Amino acid sequence: MNLTFAQIALAALPFLPLAGFAVNGLWGRRFKETTIGIVGCGSILLSFLLSVFLFMANLSGSFATVQVRLFDWIPVANGSIGFSLMADPLSLIMLLVITGVGLLIHLYSVGYMHGDAGFARFFAYLNLFIFFMLLLVLADNFLLLFAGWEGVGLCSFLLIGFWFTNESYNAAAKKAFVMNRIGDLGFLLGMFLIVFTYGSLNFDQVFTAAATAGGANNATIIAITLLLFWGACGKSAQIPLYTWLPDAMAGPTPVSALIHAATMVTAGIYLVARCHVLFSLAPFTLSVVLAVGVATALLAATIALFQTDIKKVLAYSTVSQLGYMFAALGTGAYVAGLFHVVTHAFFKALLFLGAGAVIHALHHEQDLRNMGGLRTELPFVYRIFLVGTLAISGIPVFSGFFSKDEILMNVFQHHTVAWGLLFIGALLTTFYMFRLLALAFWGEKRGHHANYVPMNTTMKLPLAVLAFLSFAGGFAGLPEFTGLNWLHHYLSPVFSDVTLHNEPHLSIGVELGLMAFTVLAIAGVIWFYASRFKHLQTRELNQLNGELPWYKKLPANKYYVDEWYNRLLVQPINRLSDFLYRVADTLIIDGLVNRIGGMVLSAGNRARKLQSGDIGIYLYVMLAGASGLFLLYVLLGS
Amino acid sequence: MRLTNRYKVVSDKKMTFAEKLYLPAIATGLGITIRHFFKQKVTISYPEVKREYAPVFRGRHVLKRDENGAERCTACGLCALACPAEAITMLAAERKRGEEQLYREEKYAEKYEINMLRCIFCGLCEEACPKEAIFLTDTHVTAEFHRDDFIYGKKQLVEPVDNRIDVSKRGKPSGRL
Amino acid sequence: MLPYIVFKLILVLVILGLTLLIATYSTYAERKIAAFMQDRLGPDRAGKFGLLQPIADAVKFFTKEDFIPAGADRVLFTLAPAIAMSTALMASVVIPFGNSLILNGMEFPLQVANLNIGVLYISGVVSIGVYGIMLGGWASNNKYSLLGSIRAASQMISYEIGMGIAMVAIIMMSGSMSLHDIVQQQAGPIWKWNIFVQPLGFIIFCTCAFAECNRTPFDLPECEQELVGGYHTEYSSMKLGLFLFAEYVNMFVSSALMSAMYFGGYNIPWIEHLNLPHNVETALGSAFFFIKIFFFIAFFMFIRWTIPRFRYDQLMHLGWRILMPLAIVNMLLTGIILLLIQ
Amino acid sequence: MEIAFYVLAVSAILSALAVVFAKSPVYSVLWLILTFFTIAGQYVLLNAQFLAAVHVIVYAGAIMVLFLFVIMLLNLNIATEPVKPVYMRAYEIVGGCVLCLTMVAAIHTSSFEFTPVNAYDNSIGTIEKLGVTLYNNYIFIFEVSSLLFLAAMIGAVILAKKGDI
Amino acid sequence: MIPLEHYLYLSIILFCIGAMGVLLRRNMIILFMCIELMLNSANLLLVALSKFHSDNSAQIFVFFVMLVSAAEVSVGLAILVMLYRNKPSTQIDLWKKLKE
């Protein structure tokens, strides 16, 4: 087997973090923190360098896609499912994001987790996560992708419950796990259906088969895509499976930044984008995706307005932004969705890490009501946070502007009502982000001490880099009309077959007008909040939950979704289980088993008398039996 | 306290890998044994070749006679007194008429016994004797089957008249012991 | 066929006689060498240089009182030395004492039986040899004897494993279990000898051979200081003689094996260049083989007076935890290298 | 050849009987060793020299030494068996004979074809052939049996060890 | 050539002697030995069949039988030694309580 260097690099990529995991996981307890950090970050750095190499090679045109088949994994009737990796522009973009942001967050964690008892465990988990994530994006078939998918779910579970002595954190981890399992069920069923329909799980084969079969909107493909989307909803926290993500904030902040903002939750987007051939064949599913995306974006944004936990705000913000991405996918604008994935990875990681810096500095204080006035105290973090806020709000030149604008533009083209809702969502985004900024950094100090934990360079450096990326990342996808949309150009080979949109593009004038309108509205929101923030803050801080009017109380309590879930799903199941336990299990099954057992027991009690323990008699009987058998043979056999 | 210069300090230090292999040590050991293989042998083929005794060797006793063949011993008992092992007993008797040829003095030892199992061949009897009657020779006390036979009487001790034992060449240790 | 059978019979008798002769004179050699190493002369009374000493010993053994202790099991007590002696003698059957002689156009190999499982046969016979010692010790009805025989049994079983695995490496090299083939494979230049290919194997084999023969430093079954005489404490006269004799026969067989398996047997390096007549070459080879055997017998004796006895736990430690792993490593290495060479 | 077979067979049967009826366990062991030797002789006659050698090494060289070892270690040379009533012994001997007879009769009346199936291949018992078969067809069993050995080894050590492990 | 039946009869006889020994004797060590005897009769038959069928698989089975019996003996004797420590006798009847 002659491997090109690119293939070797590809094969090595995911296994470097795995090696890091093995080393830290097995011997981490004996290592010093420095060693653990070097092992953890070093393995990611190496895979980042390999990713960059692959990316450059791809850019320079030395290959379009690169594939390597490591070994036959599961032999099946026709051919076998290979443990094979594949990198195309889509994977490469994800690869860069995962390893790049992952590297920064690893670096940050060295400072953030300093002194924690589970330092080695933390880095081992993080490395394992990166391994599975790389497996996910590099898989060239559904099964391997599913392996990575489950793996990241596992790591997410482990890391949410990282401080496993806290019972509620464990509950959060369990919740995330169960929610993900519900989503996985859809994915799994989708896979079964794919195998059943196309007889393969290999991406190429499936897509080719689907494309040649044609027949848009037939029931099978709608079922497949809906099931896959169901899986994506679970992983990417969309309605109705979004409730685990805010709870997942129980994990350490770098985890929230890496897994629950930048990478894992975008796996759903990746899945849909990867299967765009299928989705493009099912416009009905796409409209479902759009609807779910818009609804999630708006709903999460309203909830985010009323959260008091700094990480919860960011968590709902993430859910909301993921909704944007799905909305983009729902209109068939896969590139726009992915663009937002990238920029979101930058600024949301930045925001989370910034929040982490605040939490770190304030001795693990997460409640916004106990912050305030940190602008002068933590100027570096403030600046960082400001960049992130501006980026997510969509202020021009910052990265969020370009990506969100592209989404809005595409949605406008497709569905005006959806655009209107997303526009409102964008305004809400701006509002809650500035509320967050104001509560944390502006105004006066509230209830915290002045002895801040200092930040070291390993924490500052990633923040600076991410801030730069949040600022400049948008230039990768300048608006369409400029003709400089590099990302679009780069990803075009992957999405070359997207034929859904053959409507004419909006004219430059309309586009610019919309852009200006959005920007103006956002600026208006900012001006409104900035000028009146003191009043708004005092009112909010003095208002207790019970005093809120209903329209505020509802989002403040997350629309009681968890409670409804509890009442509608969990409790009935509990009651059913209880009933089944008491009647079916105890009376019928146990009764039967016990009765049979009792019979055997009494029979055994009687038969036991035969066993005297005298081996001679046993043997004699055995011998007699053997003799009898042979005698029988002699008499009958001849 | 150092008794000799050939002492060696014993230690139980950890052996190095080379020492743990043992093979070099075995080789050195073989070297030593093979060297001895070709060394001058120290064995003497006894009955044919006899080793010279030292001049001060002290073997079995002899009771000397004088030039005329008369016993020199007068049974004075000084030897028995000097004997640290109390191996010597004697019985004195008076010389009868006509026995002048046999005994030099008027008193003689009627019985003179040395218990060779007790004797330590120190030679103090020889030193003590005023009459130069008892000497230790360079012959050995031979092995016997019975304990009684080790009590030498005059029969064994007194030198035969016709086979005098020459003790003149026997060296004396310088100074008293 | 008939001359062949006659030749075999003669060969058997000659080898039996030679074995016994060599074993007999080994006792003499042992005493002489021991004496020399201790700066003594050793036996020199019977005959010239004491050369008749073994005969005198034999006469003494035969004329001594044959004593059987009261509590002893008479049958086994008598049987044991015979077993020890006969198993010791049996091993020499497969040893190739030389290449074949060609007389009258017929080829007569100088080996009693060229079994294709020669090496296995040897280990089989060696493993039976322990019965003589065990039964002897047990039948004596003496605690010391029993201890000695139990020690002997565990020692011999333990060292058989290392020895067997060391031999496996040789078998892998030659691809045959026949000793004749193993020797033939070492013909030619001197570096074809297995000692240069299997130095580790030789050290293991040699050590195990010492233990199997109950020779110092592994003579715990009969260590005089602890167990009086070990398994032969109660024996006297020729029964004792057989036990002692068996030990020397074992030594002879071990030496023959060592020289056959590791030192080229009857091969003289580069002799094929001399273009000697076949029979002359065979004769020279046999002589050379015996020289090697004598060398190893002497080596056995040198070792005896060089190395002190091991302690029992050290013995077991050496056998199980050093020699056996080493032998396995040696075998694995041999296998890997053979695989790579192919 | 045939004489050898019958001599070996008769001595095998006699020594096997001696194993059963010997008074002292030590003698039982010795008779059993003799039986094994006769069986090894049968192997040689059946052209399975390698198996014969292995049989001697394993059974005579290892297993029986172990038996002897245990007997000596526990000092079991005195037969301490309860005397069974005569009728019981008779029952047992008759039982064994009946089993034997029925089996022989079964063989005798059966219609098995006992003629050689294939043309006899002389190289069947050689080490090379055995090795090829062992390492091609039975490699899995071979490996599993090594596990069995390991388990037996550990078990024996643990059982024989005094006190707590 | 000796007919196969003779090997069959020989191994049956040996087997039955072993079985009889198991019945007759109460000494655990001798029981063990009788079991070995029975195993060996089976081995003998296998080798004979291997020759008559010209198939060496049977000889491989003999290997495995030897192997299993070696393992069995080592564990069995270890158990025996352990039992002997508890009750200094090798009579099998004394261990009737093992049935529980």
Side-chain angles (χ1 to χ4, degrees), chain B residues 162-177:
Chain B
D162 49 352
N163 188 14
R164 293 295 190 88
I165 292 166
D166 181 21
V167 294
S168 56
K169 287 198 195 90
R170 304 234 325 109
K172 293 270 179 199
S174 55
R176 289 187 63 87
L177 281 174

Side-chain angles (χ1 to χ4, degrees), chain C residues 220-242:
Chain C
L220 287 123
E222 47 188 289
C223 55
E224 294 84 355
Q225 289 87 336
E226 298 169 37
L227 301 177
V228 190
Y231 57 88
H232 54 58
T233 304
E234 296 288 352
Y235 278 90
S236 61
S237 104
M238 203 53 209
K239 290 201 190 90
L240 174 66
L242 281 180

Side-chain angles (χ1 to χ4, degrees), chain A residues 162-204:
Chain A
F162 181 73
W163 286 307
F164 51 80
T165 45
N166 186 323
E167 202 54 50
S168 67
Y169 289 1
N170 281 343
K174 249 183 285 176
K175 185 171 175 184
F177 203 63
V178 170
M179 285 284 197
N180 267 309
R181 281 300 76 67
I182 295 171
D184 293 342
L185 183 68
F187 190 2
L188 209 54
L189 289 174
M191 277 207 308
F192 291 156
L193 208 51
I194 287 171
V195 176
F196 184 71
T197 317
Y198 303 114
S200 170
L201 280 173
N202 191 285
F203 287 145
D204 276 346

Side-chain angles (χ1 to χ4, degrees), chain B residues 53-64 116 121 126 134-141 157 159 164-167 170:
Chain B
Y53 284 161
V56 293
F57 180 86
R58 295 190 289 265
R60 62 180 284 187
H61 312 68
V62 67
L63 287 174
K64 290 295 288 181
M116 288 301 175
F121 304 98
E126 192 180 338
I134 187 161
F135 286 96
L136 273 69
T137 64
D138 55 2
T139 48
H140 291 268
V141 174
L157 287 174
E159 63 177 338
R164 293 295 190 88
I165 292 166
D166 181 21
V167 294
R170 304 234 325 109

Side-chain angles (χ1 to χ4, degrees), chain A residues 205-278:
Chain A
Q205 291 170 9
V206 170
F207 297 154
T208 321
T212 47
N217 252 351
N218 72 37
T220 322
I221 209 147
I222 287 178
I224 291 173
T225 46
L226 275 178
L227 285 168
L228 289 181
F229 177 60
W230 175 251
C233 276
K235 193 67 49 188
S236 291
Q238 296 297 297
I239 290 176
L241 299 174
Y242 71 92
T243 54
W244 65 269
L245 185 60
D247 285 4
M249 293 303 127
T253 310
V255 170
S256 311
L258 180 61
I259 300 183
H260 305 121
T263 53
M264 185 187 86
V265 288
T266 60
I269 321 286
Y270 171 78
L271 177 66
V272 175
R274 176 55 76 199
C275 304
H276 63 273
V277 178
L278 300 177

Side-chain angles (χ1 to χ4, degrees), chain A residues 475-489 508 511:
Chain A
F475 290 103
L478 288 174
E480 201 77 4
F481 59 83
T482 56
L484 290 171
N485 194 331
W486 171 83
L487 191 70
H488 204 282
H489 176 69
I508 296 179
E511 236 176 84

Side-chain angles (χ1 to χ4, degrees), chain B residues 29 33 36 41-43 48, chain C residues 36-37 39-41 45 306:
Chain B
T33 39
H36 276 272
K41 305 297 169 235
V42 296
T43 311
E48 293 93 47
Chain C
F36 275 32
M37 294 175 86
D39 300 344
R40 297 185 284 113
L41 281 178
R45 290 291 132 148
T306 304

Side-chain angles (χ1 to χ4, degrees), chain C residues 73 76 120 128 131 138 157, chain D residues 27 30 50 60 64-65 72 77:
Chain C
D73 187 316
L76 294 185
L120 267 188
I128 299 162
Y131 284 110
W138 180 77
I157 290 178
Chain D
Y27 278 90
L30 293 179
F50 179 59
M64 297 323 286
V65 172
M72 290 183 181
N77 47 333

